[in-house]
Amino acid sequence: MKKQLSIPVSFIFTIWVVNIFQFTFRLDFGYLGIYPRDSTTLFGIFTSPVIHGSWGHLLSNSIPLLVLGILLFFTYERIAIWVWVLNYILTGLMVWLFARDSYHIGASGIVYGLASFLLFSGFFRMDIKSIAVSSGIAIFYGGMVWGIFPLERGISWESHLFGGIVGLLLAFLFRNEFQDAFLKMHEEETDEDRKTFEDYLKEQERHKNDFT
């Protein structure tokens, strides 16, 4: 678990190092963002979430990244890495394919993808743990829904929208993960395990008869 949690923590550390360097030396790494349908910026799918335009932009993404990343890896340990990687790549790819012509930077698409996954997983799974996490997301991050609309100039609402869509799709894709793990566990039960359990039941029955 500690090793997996290092993924979101290391990512946040990376974006802070990169942007401290950028802001301190007054550099502009915006060219590392995504410019939709420009093949020369395909690499931006991987680099754009690391680049931010201001300290406020960086801070506003860092806190939810940390909270949602920890929730993901604690709640869905078996699939967390897959969700993190697919959310990262697919959100960036959708921005490159469908967003308006402008440079898109920042990790907000990843934030929206994580929030969407954690929210909709509760609806698809309907187990207590998932519902509890989903309810928390709805309460504390429900206001994020306004970010998917083009209401504020200079904000990549497309990243928010596509992140939310990717999170929903991943929640649906991995909806049966717990059931599959349960079935696999019982399928791997050996004959020796069954025999041991049957012997235990017989032993209990003999003890019962000794007292009757």
Side-chain angles (χ1 to χ4, degrees):
M1 174 60 70
K2 291 182 179 179
K3 184 177 180 180
Q4 288 186 319
L5 281 177
S6 67
I7 294 175
V9 173
S10 297
F11 178 70
I12 294 171
F13 176 78
T14 299
I15 65 176
W16 272 86
V17 169
V18 169
N19 287 282
I20 286 174
F21 184 82
Q22 177 184 214
F23 301 146
T24 300
F25 293 98
R26 298 183 179 180
L27 302 173
D28 184 2
F29 289 162
Y31 66 91
L32 296 175
I34 296 173
Y35 197 93
R37 295 165 297 281
D38 182 347
S39 59
T40 63
T41 68
L42 267 172
F43 64 87
I45 292 173
F46 303 99
T47 57
S48 64
V50 180
I51 310 304
H52 290 74
S54 66
W55 290 110
H57 188 201
L58 177 63
L59 185 62
S60 67
N61 281 335
S62 297
I63 295 174
L65 266 177
L66 180 63
V67 173
L68 297 172
I70 289 175
L71 275 175
L72 172 68
F73 281 91
F74 266 116
T75 310
Y76 302 108
E77 182 179 359
R78 294 181 69 249
I79 59 171
I81 292 178
W82 280 107
V83 172
W84 180 274
V85 172
L86 290 173
N87 177 45
Y88 193 113
I89 295 175
L90 293 178
T91 298
L93 180 60
M94 291 184 72
V95 170
W96 188 85
L97 287 172
F98 304 116
R100 72 188 187 279
D101 292 340
S102 178
Y103 276 98
H104 298 259
I105 59 173
S108 56
I110 297 176
V111 171
Y112 271 75
L114 293 176
S116 177
F117 173 83
L118 293 169
L119 174 66
F120 287 106
S121 286
F123 292 101
F124 291 135
R125 296 169 182 269
M126 295 305 292
D127 61 86
I128 295 176
K129 181 167 65 172
S130 298
I131 292 174
V133 172
S134 178
S135 300
I137 296 298
I139 293 171
F140 292 103
Y141 291 101
M144 289 173 58
V145 68
W146 295 109
I148 67 174
F149 301 106
L151 301 177
E152 189 173 348
R153 188 180 179 86
I155 299 296
S156 178
W157 60 271
E158 297 98 326
S159 296
H160 303 169
L161 174 62
F162 295 136
I165 292 173
V166 169
L168 170 61
L169 292 175
L170 292 176
F172 181 78
L173 177 65
F174 290 109
R175 68 193 184 284
N176 294 322
E177 181 265 336
F178 284 129
Q179 294 94 318
D180 292 344
F182 180 81
L183 292 174
K184 184 177 180 181
M185 177 182 68
H186 285 276
E187 287 173 358
E188 292 177 350
E189 182 181 345
T190 64
D191 291 337
E192 185 176 351
D193 293 330
R194 296 189 188 95
K195 183 178 180 181
T196 301
F197 183 67
E198 289 172 359
D199 291 341
Y200 171 78
L201 292 178
K202 291 177 180 178
E203 183 68 21
Q204 293 299 310
E205 186 66 24
R206 281 198 296 270
H207 284 300
K208 180 179 178 181
N209 293 334
D210 289 340
F211 291 97
T212 58

